[in-house]
């Protein structure tokens, strides 16, 4: 799906909301983050591209006082994930059908996100499609802006070149810092805290691929 940073994406979304499911169709005027989060939660976390929702299923259980927003560009996956979460009785989550890069830039208040999770983002291996990657050259500013002072960004990929790009574009920001101790800590914390489990992780691990995991945090308090 062609979604990377394109303003036209929102006009192209064709999906119908199902009132019985925790899924919101962003359409051409998506709700803001504050309209999606009910009162009473300690913090807000976002997963970009949750696919079929394996990580959200674990995360909503592991961190019940956090409200989770899964931003998924593919309507069919968003609905599937919402069905799985509803069947499991989770109340601390909503799926939003939108382009996550746009949502972070124009619908997410500064300093509002406690953790941002991006697992196995589409690598767009063809050179002419590279501009569609979530971790493009300008994403670091958006990530830094939305993270709370103690907020963190967690990502994983099997694609060595893309892992290099993620480390480079985020690493060149003086306002984000990679934290390898945090990477080890969160991995050891178990399912749903960060990194795992996801459908693509299971598939790629079974194939023996090397999984690269990266954690970044803000390098200074909120401006
Ligand atoms: C390779 S799949 C990974 C799914 C899941 N994270 C996993 O690890 O199993 C990438 C997912 O990201 C979604 N996606 C791609 N670009 C996106 C964007 N800009 N905003 C939201 N979702 C996006 C795709 O529709 C797809 O479901």
């Amino acid at each position: 799906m062609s979604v990377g940073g394109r303003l036209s994406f929102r006009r192209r979304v064709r999906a119908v909301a199902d009132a019985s499911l925790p899924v919101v169709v962003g359409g051409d005027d998506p709700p803001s983050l504050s309209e999606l989060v009910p009162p009473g939660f300690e913090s807000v976390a976002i997963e970009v591209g949750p696919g079929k929702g394996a990580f959200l299923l674990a995360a909503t259980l592991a961190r019940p006082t956090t409200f989770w927003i899964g931003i998924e560009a593919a309507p069919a996956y968003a609905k599937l994930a919402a069905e799985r979460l509803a069947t499991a009785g989770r109340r601390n989550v909503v799926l939003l059908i939108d382009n996550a890069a746009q949502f972070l830039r124009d619908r997410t208040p500064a300093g509002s996100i406690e953790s941002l999770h991006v697992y196995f983002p589409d690598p767009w291996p063809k050179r002419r499609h590279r501009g569609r990657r979530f971790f493009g050259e300008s994403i670091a500013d958006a990530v830094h802006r939305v993270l709370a002072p103690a907020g963190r960004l967690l990502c994983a990929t099997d694609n060595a070149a893309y892992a290099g790009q993620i480390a480079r574009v985020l690493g060149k920001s003086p306002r984000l810092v990679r934290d390898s101790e945090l990477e080890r800590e969160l991995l050891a914390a178990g399912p749903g805290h960060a990194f795992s489990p996801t459908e693509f992780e299971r598939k790629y691990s079974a194939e023996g691929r090397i999984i690269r995991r990266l954690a970044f945090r803000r390098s200074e308090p909120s401006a």
Side-chain angles (χ1 to χ4, degrees), residues 6 13 25 33 37-38 70 93 95 111 128 170 182 197-198 217:
R6 291 190 174 184
V13 171
V25 181
L33 181 114
V37 181
V93 64
L95 271 295
R128 69 177 187 279
L170 297 179
L182 185 61
T198 84
R217 57 177 170 75

Side-chain angles (χ1 to χ4, degrees), residues 35-116:
E35 291 172 277
L36 291 171
V37 181
F41 286 94
E42 282 174 12
S43 59
V44 178
I46 287 180
E47 185 184 4
V48 172
K52 297 179 188 172
F55 179 72
L56 285 178
L57 207 50
T60 46
L61 189 63
R63 287 167 53 193
T65 57
T66 295
F67 191 79
W68 291 83
I69 303 175
I71 308 176
E72 174 52 63
Y77 283 146
K79 284 187 185 167
L80 185 58
E83 274 164 18
R84 293 178 75 189
L85 288 155
T87 302
R90 303 290 198 274
R91 299 283 171 85
N92 56 332
V93 64
V94 69
L95 271 295
L96 172 69
I97 301 169
D98 196 15
N99 179 341
Q102 282 178 245
F103 186 85
L104 293 181
R105 289 188 173 100
D106 65 14
R107 295 293 192 277
T108 309
S112 59
I113 304 302
E114 189 253 340
S115 62
L116 181 61

Side-chain angles (χ1 to χ4, degrees), residues 137-190:
E137 297 298 325
S138 63
I139 199 70
D141 284 349
V143 169
H144 174 267
R145 192 186 68 79
V146 302
L147 286 182
R152 63 256 321 241
L153 164 72
L154 299 320
C155 39
T157 178
D158 64 302
N159 185 300
Y162 197 9
Q165 176 168 330
I166 295 169
R168 182 178 61 74
V169 297
L170 297 179
K172 76 182 179 190
S173 166
R175 302 190 296 175
L176 292 172
V177 60
R178 188 166 173 192
D179 189 333
S180 42
E181 198 175 315
L182 185 61
E183 285 160 17
R184 284 191 291 276
E185 222 175 81
L186 289 172
L187 197 56

